[in-house]
Amino acid sequence: GAVVSQHPSWVICKSGTSVKIECRSLDFQATTMFWYRQFPKQSLMLMATSNEGSKATYEQGVEKDKFLINHASLTLSTLTVTSAHPEDSSFYICSASQGPTTDTQYFGPGTRLTVL
Amino acid sequence: DQQVKQNSPSLSVQEGRISILNCDYTNSMFDYFLWYKKYPAEGPTFLISISSIKDKNEDGRFTVFLNKSAKHLSLHIVPSQPGDSAVYFCAASAGGGYGGSQGNLIFGKGTKLSVKP
């Protein structure tokens, strides 16, 4: 149980285009979803926290107009990288939490974005 | 199918004693393993890692052991302190730990450690 999927698993796009990444909780309802970006040497940066039906809360330094997050249902959150540039190339991971606390997070398998 | 498994969702330990968190994996291509620590309302922070060419890595109170034949790793915290109370995630990578296109991380579901004073 508690499976989180991401789609696509990898994507290559041209600079200036937009890319949408989906995060789905397959067998539970995720009231809260998180988006992370992986940096070299395995560090993870929390980008934003989204609660179903409300606007995402972005961490300091994350451009909300560039990284659009939508949590339209209890099983789906999307991250859209708008006007992607090569520096946006990274590994994006989502995680989902079932209840009001965020102690337990179930991670998705990640999406590898490469911007040419 | 889960490639990284943490079968104990929670663990309670007395302050000063040893905490042992376990992690199993199924993918034999994994060659780099990491432990992350997560406090409430924060993202996971990197704690310690180990390459598959080693069977032990130590950093202060934290030691990670790797048993490749059993596809098992464990994190030992000695002595445990109340500030160690957090959720610990095990993660694995098939990219040698360098990030980039080979460094995709696969996470376990975490173990919540509670260290009682």
Side-chain angles (χ1 to χ4, degrees), chain B residues 56-75:
Chain B
K56 177 183 174 181
N57 187 25
E58 192 172 351
D59 183 3
R61 296 186 296 114
F62 302 91
T63 303
V64 57
F65 295 92
L66 176 63
N67 182 335
K68 283 181 291 183
S69 61
K71 293 191 175 68
H72 176 84
L73 65 154
S74 60
L75 174 67

Side-chain angles (χ1 to χ4, degrees), chain B residues 85-115:
Chain B
S85 297
V87 178
Y88 289 79
F89 291 95
C90 169
S93 165
Y98 296 113
S101 61
Q102 296 176 310
N104 296 9
L105 294 171
I106 305 297
F107 282 85
K109 293 187 176 181
T111 296
K112 183 175 183 178
L113 173 65
S114 299
V115 181

Side-chain angles (χ1 to χ4, degrees), chain B residues 44-57:
Chain B
T45 55
F46 171 73
L47 189 60
I48 192 170
S49 63
I50 188 168
S51 165
S52 59
I53 62 173
K54 295 184 175 182
D55 54 18
K56 177 183 174 181
N57 187 25

Side-chain angles (χ1 to χ4, degrees), chain A residues 1-3 9 34 36 38-46 59 91 93 102-112, chain B residues 2 32 34 36 38 40-44 46 87 89 93 97-110 112:
Chain A
V3 177
S9 55
F34 307 85
Y36 297 89
Q38 181 187 337
F39 284 91
K41 297 191 178 181
Q42 315 303 335
S43 67
L44 286 181
M45 180 190 80
L46 176 63
E59 296 299 303
F91 187 57
I93 304 175
T102 59
D103 281 356
T104 300
Q105 294 185 19
Y106 303 102
F107 285 84
T111 296
R112 169 68 51 189
Chain B
Q2 270 189 277
Y32 196 72
L34 310 93
Y36 287 83
K38 183 194 166 306
E42 296 181 10
F46 171 73
V87 178
F89 291 95
S93 165
Y98 296 113
S101 61
Q102 296 176 310
N104 296 9
L105 294 171
I106 305 297
F107 282 85
K109 293 187 176 181
K112 183 175 183 178

Side-chain angles (χ1 to χ4, degrees), chain A residues 19-83:
Chain A
V19 175
K20 180 185 283 189
I21 303 170
E22 293 184 349
C23 177
R24 291 184 185 271
S25 56
L26 299 185
D27 51 2
F28 67 98
Q29 293 186 324
T31 54
T32 307
M33 286 187 170
F34 307 85
W35 286 96
Y36 297 89
R37 180 173 174 176
Q38 181 187 337
F39 284 91
K41 297 191 178 181
Q42 315 303 335
S43 67
L44 286 181
M45 180 190 80
L46 176 63
M47 298 174 67
T49 302
S50 72
N51 292 292
E52 186 266 337
S54 61
K55 291 185 178 180
T57 302
Y58 289 81
E59 296 299 303
Q60 192 172 7
V62 178
E63 299 176 59
K64 58 182 68 176
D65 293 331
K66 180 170 183 62
F67 298 99
L68 301 178
I69 292 172
N70 184 20
H71 193 161
S73 76
L74 285 171
T75 59
L76 173 64
S77 175
T78 60
L79 166 67
T80 301
V81 183
T82 62
S83 187

